[in-house]
Amino acid sequence: MNEVVSYELHDGIADVLIDNPPVNATSHAVRAGLDEAVRRFGGDADAKAMVVRCAGKTFVAGADIKEFGRPALPPPLPDVLKAIDHCDKPIVAAVHGTVLGGGFEVALACHYRVAAADARFGFPEVKLGLVPGAGGTQRGVRLAGLADTITLITEGKPISASKAEAMGLVDEVAQGDLVEAARAFARRLVAEGKGPRRAGDLPMPTDDPDLFDKARKSLGREMRGQEAPMKALEAIRLGYEMDFESALVREYEMCKEMIAAPQSRALRHIFAAEREVVKVPGLSADVAPRDIKRAGVIGLGVMGRGIVMAIAAAGIPVTAVAADADHLAAAQKAITKMLSSTVDKGRLKQDEMDRRLERIQWSVAIEDLADADLVIEAVTEDIAIKREVFAALGKATRPGTILASNTSFLDIEALAKASQRSEDTCGMHFFNPAHIMRLLENVRAAGTAPDVVATIMAFGKTIGKLPVLSGVCEGFIVNRMLSKRSREAFFLVEEGAAPAAIDNVLVDYGFPMGPLALGDLAGLDVQAAARASRKDSATARELRADFPEQLVAAGRLGQKTGSGWYSYDENRKASANEDTTRMIAAHAERHGLTLRDIGDQEVRERLLFAMVNEGAKILDEGVASRPQDIDVAMVNGLGWPAYTGGPMFWADQLGLDHVLRTIERFQDEQGAGYWTPSPLLVRLAEEGKGFYG
Ligand code: 3HC
């Protein structure tokens, strides 16, 4: 056919093979080749049935995202699928790997589906800000029914082959060899005289407006701000409003309109950026990662426990070292309890829990880390204590063992010096809860060896994390940017913005919560301690805006004490706290401050542009090597809404000229100490460029 689609005849069965690495996406060549294959099959009198399958590790994993935004070359996917659908001889899809989006739609347009037992099926289009555009909503709903289709398409989560079979989306799950099973299936169809069976000929399931209503409400809550899931409901509904063929035409139009819309552009940017950040610029592919057969974690507080769990879950033996027997017992108990509760919820099998626990070797002796290939330090955030631990690790472990600190803001260079093994020393900053949060900020210090960088990036992926590389600076990427937002939030409170008004602005923008609610969640004592550690470099105004300290002094540490900026009920539901209002008024009186009305736009711009400006500085200083590193870190570490593309992408969409002018206005109003525009921002704005060029 062409270079990516081949056609062969075996015993009266046409074998159509798509071979388009890496994921067999329906690029132009695949569409053209498939179209030609169907035509050839139609005219091949010796071919009685056809099997469509893929080479490599997966069936078609979707439309080719790289072609989005460029003029689409014919034939469009829906036309190719129409040709498959309308073929008068039976076509069987033999699917394996990830059968996603346009790939799932190829399979659904085929008349029958045989799946490998470990195949995964899904419509991830909503995650790219899209709806399925090649019949997924219409064929899907006719085969799987309304409730399952709504879930599948609006949530975008994959399902197993057996579940797909139970839903009516798969005809057979192959027990042995997939190709053999699919050919046998095709031969049976021929022998039994069975022709094509088209999903479009099936009736729509009975309409159930309640299901749509319920879905609308839950999506409004769970996927707040995102346009695609609601549009997906509209697309499914097309089947009730028009005939099958017209619904397919409209569904494709919707998909194309959404490809051009800002949310999809932003989500596709994040998709590509997440794949880019794991590739470290300047790190040669020849640099082989070190082999990590055993890991170690020292310090078993909340973070250390989470890291131990993440490593054990990935199948890697880990030595967990606590300060003393009491801390060790507490950690053992906590980890066992967390795993048990996952088993109770049905999300983990008991035997897998047992295997994970067996991988953990418990100890109170640093010497037991002697056989570890990588040790992650997660002791108290105190530079003096960490220095001691790194000095001890430098002696207790053999040269070549990687020594990584989980610190969230302390100086990795100081720890490298203490270990006397700077080439082996680096940062691996996990986010809380460490066994769940995807982001891992790896930190390269001046002396960190290139193969250590390669190892921590690869190891991050092995334990299911999304690793981003940062250079050394206080707070690295995420916490450094976050600290500017927190500072601005406290200043806004001092100037008269109500805490709930501040938080609501960011929730409306798409964050899961605002800065003050986040303080309540993380613990105001933690925030106050972090402020105390930086007090020597703080300005008088920063010291004056001491709300975390005031709340802590009043015993209001946040959610854990039932009160902080807000009051919390036993279900941790927040409500306004009158004491907070009184605290702010007293603070203003004490310091002679005049409170004023502050509009939402000012709140939004001050909170968000403070981060954009800091991001630009981080980029300019080379702490992050690309804007992608910042966008991915902020989306995955701070919950910056992915559908805006992250701070740097979002700023580009606004126009850096506008961002710069606004920052310069804040500089005049608030003082240069807080709002000096980053030189990079100034340069790019003058050149009419964005962070992305
Ligand atoms: N188009 C183009 N390239 C794709 C792609 C796609 N749909 N999916 C993955 N790739 C590329 C990646 O960019 C990456 O490229 P790189 O090596 O240059 O960085 C390479 O394939 C491998 O991808 P991953 O690193 O993600 O590999 P994994 O093995 O971890 O995951 C996967 C494989 C599960 C297929 C994952 O890549 C994925 O989820 N892909 C996206 C699937 C998707 O969203 N499909 C729907 C597209 S929209 C659509 O189909 C619309 C339709 O309804 C008309």
Side-chain angles (χ1 to χ4, degrees), residues 421-687:
R421 293 233 307 272
S422 50
E423 67 286 359
D424 290 335
T425 306
C426 60
M428 288 180 84
H429 175 218
F430 291 76
F431 289 72
N432 190 13
H435 58 301
I436 292 174
M437 289 286 282
R438 225 175 132 222
L439 183 68
L440 170 64
E441 240 175 356
N442 282 332
V443 186
R444 168 168 53 187
T448 308
D451 66 341
V452 168
V453 175
T455 311
I456 56 179
M457 297 304 281
F459 184 77
K461 282 216 276 183
T462 306
I463 62 170
K465 302 293 170 201
L466 177 56
V468 168
L469 190 65
S470 169
V472 174
C473 69
E474 190 177 296
F476 315 122
I477 298 173
V478 175
N479 282 332
R480 176 166 160 185
M481 288 171 73
L482 178 63
S483 71
K484 296 295 178 275
R485 185 182 84 171
S486 305
R487 178 176 77 181
E488 213 49 38
F490 298 153
F491 288 174
L492 283 161
V493 172
E494 271 201 329
E495 290 171 48
I502 294 173
D503 281 342
N504 286 344
V505 162
L506 283 206
V507 171
D508 286 348
Y509 179 83
F511 282 89
M513 64 182 71
L516 305 175
L518 181 64
D520 276 359
L521 175 70
L524 294 161
D525 50 338
V526 178
Q527 209 167 37
R531 279 172 56 85
S533 72
R534 292 186 209 120
K535 70 175 185 316
D536 292 344
S537 58
T539 66
R541 188 174 168 203
E542 284 167 347
L543 292 171
R544 188 186 66 195
D546 61 351
F547 297 112
E549 290 89 328
Q550 291 188 47
L551 289 163
V552 170
R556 291 157 58 193
L557 310 190
Q559 286 197 16
K560 59 188 167 190
T561 58
S563 170
W565 286 98
Y566 301 94
S567 298
Y568 295 89
D569 67 14
E570 59 282 7
N571 299 318
R572 299 204 164 193
K573 191 173 178 322
S575 58
N577 188 327
E578 283 309 314
D579 289 340
T580 300
T581 316
R582 279 192 283 274
M583 171 187 76
I584 295 166
H587 180 88
E589 202 179 313
R590 198 161 51 245
H591 296 290
L593 304 169
T594 312
L595 302 181
R596 65 184 172 98
D597 279 340
I598 303 180
D600 286 353
Q601 184 179 343
E602 180 180 339
V603 172
R604 185 169 48 247
E605 288 178 341
R606 282 177 57 184
L607 295 176
L608 299 181
F609 288 0
M611 288 192 275
V612 170
N613 196 32
E614 200 61 23
K617 290 179 187 173
I618 284 172
L619 202 52
D620 210 12
E621 292 164 19
V623 168
S625 42
R626 297 155 294 191
Q628 283 92 335
D629 295 313
I630 299 174
D631 284 339
V632 168
M634 294 303 276
V635 164
N636 290 281
L638 188 61
W640 189 297
Y643 59 80
T644 70
M648 313 318 274
F649 183 88
W650 176 69
D652 275 6
Q653 307 311 301
L654 293 178
L656 294 194
D657 190 43
H658 164 75
V659 175
L660 176 63
R661 272 187 280 110
T662 313
I663 288 177
E664 283 170 344
R665 181 161 51 79
F666 293 148
Q667 185 177 20
D668 291 343
E669 292 167 6
Q670 302 284 330
Y674 307 106
W675 283 98
T676 306
S678 134
L680 176 68
L681 177 63
V682 174
R683 212 162 55 238
L684 292 174
E686 273 168 6
E687 291 168 5

Side-chain angles (χ1 to χ4, degrees), residues 22-23 57 61 63-66 102 105 124-125 128 132-133 275 279:
V23 298
K57 62 175 188 176
D64 190 335
I65 298 169
K66 296 188 179 88
E105 292 174 305
E125 281 88 342
L128 297 174
R275 277 143 190 88
K279 301 166 193 161

Side-chain angles (χ1 to χ4, degrees), residues 307-382:
I307 298 168
V308 167
M309 285 204 290
I311 296 172
I316 299 167
V318 52
T319 306
V321 179
D324 55 40
D326 286 349
H327 283 97
L328 191 72
Q332 267 177 308
K333 200 169 150 203
I335 288 181
T336 309
K337 194 170 158 205
M338 275 189 275
L339 288 173
S340 295
S341 105
T342 318
V343 170
D344 292 345
K345 288 179 195 144
R347 288 201 238 118
L348 186 71
K349 297 228 166 71
Q350 182 63 49
D351 57 350
E352 174 55 20
M353 167 174 161
D354 297 342
R355 276 196 293 276
R356 288 186 192 180
L357 286 174
E358 276 161 24
R359 284 181 203 125
I360 308 173
Q361 184 192 318
W362 305 95
S363 169
V364 288
I366 197 167
E367 292 73 29
D368 284 341
L369 293 168
D371 61 347
D373 304 297
L374 160 72
V375 177
I376 301 170
E377 165 279 311
V379 305
T380 315
E381 282 287 83
D382 178 321

Side-chain angles (χ1 to χ4, degrees), residues 385-413:
I385 298 175
K386 284 192 194 279
R387 266 209 209 100
E388 270 177 34
V389 170
F390 270 77
L393 283 173
K395 295 194 185 97
T397 60
R398 55 185 149 66
T401 294
I402 296 173
L403 305 177
S405 175
N406 176 53
T407 182
S408 51
F409 66 97
L410 295 173
D411 185 10
I412 306 286
E413 301 292 1

